[in-house]
Amino acid sequence: MPANGTELKKSYLSEQATSPNKLGTFGGVFTPSLLTILGVIMYLRFGWVVGNVGLIGTLVIVTLSTSITFLTALSIASIATDTQVKGGGAYYMISRSLGIEVGGAVGIPLFIAQALSVALYVIGFAESLVAVFPMLNITLVGCVVTVAIGLLALFSTEAAIRTQYFILAAIVISLISLVLGSPLESAPTELVGAAPNQPKEGFWIVFAVFFPAVTGIMAGVNLSGDLKDSAKSIPKGTFLAVGCGYLVYMVLPIILASRVDANTLINDPLVMRRISFWGDAILLGVWGATLSSAVGSILGAPRILQALAQDQVLPRSFHWLGKEHPASGIPRAGTIFTMILAMIAVILGDLDMIAPILSMFFLTTYGVLNVAAGTERLLGSPSFRPSFRTHWFFSLLGAIGCVAVMFLINPLATLIAILLVGVTFIWLKRRGLRTTWGDVRRGMWLALTRSALLRIDHTPDPKNWRPHLLVLSGAPTRRWHLIELAKAIAQRSSLLTVATVLKTDDIAYDRLKSLEGNIRDYLEERGVEALVKVTSDEDPFIGGVRLVQTYGIGALIPNTIILGDTRELTHHGPYCAMIQQFYQARRNVVIVRDDEKEGFQRKHTIDVWWGGLRKNGALMMILAYLISNDPAWRSAKITVKMAVPSEAAAKDARANLEQIIQNMRISFQHKVIVNEQTSFWTLLKQESQSADLTMLGLAEPNEDFLAYYEQLSERTQGLSATMFVLAAQEIAFEEILL
C-alpha cells in the first residue's frame, strides 16, 4: 500500500492483539526502569559529582534532576491511564496524541538512539571487563556480548526480564556492600568534601554530567506491548522506579562524602570499590548496570521499530520490520535489525562523538510527551479522561525543564537533534500519511478557532479587510478557471470556499459528504487550500442564494462571491435574480466569463477599466493587486484604462490617475483614452482585445437588471476572459488603497 495519500487501514496492535501480554508491573516496568536509572554514572561518576559540588550541591542536583523526571512520569501516567498503550511505548503515546508526523519525527531518532545505546552500554561493559582482565580484546568482547543479549531478546522476552532480576540482585548486593564498608584510611572525614587545592567544575557542568543517570523511565514504557495491563503497570512501575532511584541517589552522597575526601572522589572513578565491605561487588554492580541497560535497550528498540513499520511511517521497503513471531509476539525481524546495527557500532568502537546526541533524543522524547499530556489536558477534550489526572502546568514545567537541560548538557548536540527531528517531520508531512485515529491537533485548531471567532469584531475594518471568497464552481473540473482565479486572489491570507449546488432535492447526506471529500482531494492534489461545501436544491439558483445567506459562522462569513456567467438564455432571469439577492445580502460579486478556447493559458496582461475610486473602482484595483501577487500572474502587465470625452478632460484625468496610483503604492500603468465619436463598447474591444483578463464594473442591480445584464453580455462578446466586479459590502474600499 503506498504511503503517500493512502489511509492506514489499521494501527498495528491498536486494532489487533496478537502478542501474548505476559509481563506485570515489577518485571515489565519497574525492573528495567530502575536498572537503567542505577547505571554506570552511579558507579563511575557519582563520586566525581560529590567531590566537585559537595554534599549539599549533590543533593540539590539529584533533587532537580529527579523533579524533571518525575514531572515527565506524571505526563506518562496521564496518557497511559487514558488509553490502552500498545506496542511502541513513547512513539505510540506521541503519535496518538500529537499526530503520526510528530510521533514519527520523534520515534525514528528514538529508535536509532535506543539501538546505538546498546553499543554504548556493551562497549562500557567490555572496557570495564578488560580493565580487570587485560588479556581480553574489547571489540571481541563487545561483539560476543551483543550477540548474546540479542539472542536472549530474540527468543524470549521473559528470559531477558529474568536475566535482569539477577542483575538487579547484583546491584543490590553491591549497594549493601557499600553501606557496610568503611572510610578510606588516612582520608579526612568531611561532609562537604572540600579540598583547597583541587580545581572544581561548575554546578551546571556537574548537573549536566549527572542528569542522564535519572532518564531511564522509558525502559519500561518501551515494553508497553508486552504488558498485561499497561494502564496500570506503566504509572505504578514508573513512579516506583523514580522513587527508589531518588532514595538511592540521596543516600549515596552522604556515604561518599563522609568516607572519602574530595580529591580522591574526583580522581578515582572506582573509589566505591575501595570503601566497600566486599570491593569486587562494585565490579559486579558496574557490569550489571551496563548489561541491564543494554538488555533494556535491545528489548525496547525493536518494539519502537515494529510500531513505526506497522504504522507505515517507515518507507515501504522496511515494512517487513513490522512482523512479529506468531507464537511469542517478539518482533524478531526488528530485533535482528537492531542487533546488526548495534554490532556495526561496536566494531566501529568510539561513539563518544554521537553519545550526547543520543541523550538529546531521549530528552526530546520526554519533552514531547510532556507537551502531549499538557496539551490534551489544557484543551479539555471530552475524549481525554485519564484516571490519573495531571494539571497541564506540571506537564508544561516538565517540557521546559527538558529543553533547559538539553541546552545545558550540550547546546550543539541539542541543535543537531532538533534539526534531525525537524527534517524527519517535514519528510513525513510531505508523504501525506493518513491515520484511522484522531489526535490532539484538531482539538488545538478548534480551540484557537473558537477563541479567534469570539474576538473578531463584527464592524467592517478597512485596515484588516480580506476578500473571503465563496466560489460557486459547480463541478471543479468544468470551471477550473474560477478556482484558479480565486486561489490567486486568496493568496493564502484569505478564506476560500469551493461550493457546489446540486440540482436535486433528494440526495443522501452520506452522498453529499462523499462528494465533498472527492472535491477536497482534487483540490489538495492541485495545491489549493480551500474549504469545500456541497449542497442540493431543486432550483440551483435558489440553492445558491440559500447557501450564501446561511454559510459562515459569527463575523467570519464570505464577503465576496465568485461565479461564472450563464449562456443559457432561459437561465438569465433566475441568474440575475440571484445576483440581486447577493447584492442585497451585502456580498461583493465577481462574475467571470472565460473563453473556453483561451482561458487563462496566457497571464501577461490585465486591463482594468476604471470609472473612479469609490466602490467598484476601488474593489477592482484591490483584486487586480492581489492577482498580481500570485506567482502565475506576477509578470503580468496591469494597465488602468479610462475613457474621457475630450483632450482637456484627458489632461486632468492623467494627472489625477497618476497621483492616485502613486498614492496607492502599486506599480500599475495607466492609460487615458480620448473617445469623442465611437461608443465606449467599440473602444473597449479595440483596446482590450488582446488582454488576457479584462476587469469591468457592474451596475447596482435594480428592476431593469436583467435587461442591463443581457445587454452587457452582448456588448462584451469577443473579449477573452472578462471579470465583472460589483462592490456591495458596506466598507470604504478606497481606504484600503490610500
Side-chain angles (χ1 to χ4, degrees), residues 50 69 71 82-83 90 177 180 188 249 276 281 291 317 323 394 398 404 426 435-436 487 597 627 643 668 671 675 693:
V50 178
T69 304
L71 291 172
D82 177 65
T83 183
S177 177
L180 297 177
Y249 280 122
S276 295
L291 286 177
S317 57
K323 297 180 180 180
F394 295 111
I426 294 172
T435 63
T436 56
K487 177 189 175 185
K597 296 180 180 179
I627 293 172
F668 291 178
K671 184 177 183 180
N675 183 27
L693 178 63

Side-chain angles (χ1 to χ4, degrees), residues 142-219:
C143 291
V144 171
V145 173
T146 302
V147 172
I149 63 174
L151 293 175
L152 189 65
L154 191 61
F155 292 101
S156 178
T157 302
E158 284 190 291
I161 293 298
R162 284 196 295 268
T163 302
Q164 293 199 13
Y165 294 152
F166 292 102
I167 295 173
L168 179 61
I171 291 176
V172 171
I173 291 172
S174 69
L175 292 176
I176 293 174
S177 177
L178 179 63
V179 171
L180 297 177
S182 58
L184 278 179
E185 295 181 4
S186 71
T189 300
E190 45 188 36
L191 288 178
V192 294
N197 300 321
Q198 177 66 42
K200 304 292 182 64
E201 297 289 354
F203 178 87
W204 293 112
I205 294 177
V206 177
F207 178 91
V209 171
F210 172 77
F211 185 81
V214 297
T215 59
I217 56 176
M218 272 309 118

Side-chain angles (χ1 to χ4, degrees), residues 321-506:
L321 293 171
K323 297 180 180 180
E324 62 183 25
H325 189 266
S328 64
I330 295 174
R332 290 187 173 178
T335 302
I336 294 173
F337 185 84
T338 302
M339 186 169 60
I340 293 173
L341 184 61
M343 183 77 73
I344 294 172
V346 168
I347 293 173
L348 293 177
D350 187 9
L351 297 177
D352 289 342
M353 292 183 62
I354 64 170
I357 300 177
L358 304 187
S359 297
M360 297 306 105
F361 287 144
F362 289 117
L363 282 169
T364 300
T365 304
Y366 302 155
V368 175
L369 280 170
N370 280 309
V371 170
T375 304
E376 291 273 23
R377 189 65 178 163
L378 183 61
L379 292 177
S381 173
S383 64
F384 187 67
R385 304 182 305 278
S387 56
F388 187 95
R389 297 178 179 272
T390 302
H391 195 279
W392 62 267
F393 173 78
F394 295 111
S395 298
L396 176 63
L397 191 62
I400 294 174
C402 289
V403 174
V405 169
M406 288 172 67
F407 279 99
L408 202 62
I409 293 175
N410 192 317
L412 178 60
T414 300
L415 294 176
I416 293 174
I418 292 174
L419 178 63
L420 291 176
V421 170
V423 169
T424 307
F425 175 84
I426 294 172
W427 170 62
L428 293 174
K429 194 72 176 176
R430 288 184 174 178
R431 286 177 58 196
L433 296 175
R434 295 186 181 179
T435 63
T436 56
W437 66 84
D439 55 62
V440 75
R441 291 176 296 179
R442 180 178 175 85
M444 291 173 60
W445 290 122
L446 286 173
L448 291 173
T449 301
R450 174 188 177 277
S451 178
L453 284 172
L454 292 175
R455 286 165 175 77
I456 294 178
D457 193 351
H458 287 257
T459 304
D461 177 15
K463 181 177 179 59
N464 296 295
W465 183 84
R466 299 286 189 280
H468 299 308
L469 309 173
L470 175 66
V471 183
L472 294 172
S473 64
T477 54
R478 294 177 56 191
R479 290 190 169 183
W480 179 251
H481 64 283
L482 296 179
I483 300 173
E484 185 181 19
L485 188 62
K487 177 189 175 185
I489 296 172
Q491 293 288 316
R492 291 180 178 266
S493 62
S494 303
L495 279 180
L496 170 60
T497 300
V498 176
T500 297
V501 181
L502 301 177
K503 189 178 180 181
T504 176
D505 59 353
D506 183 20

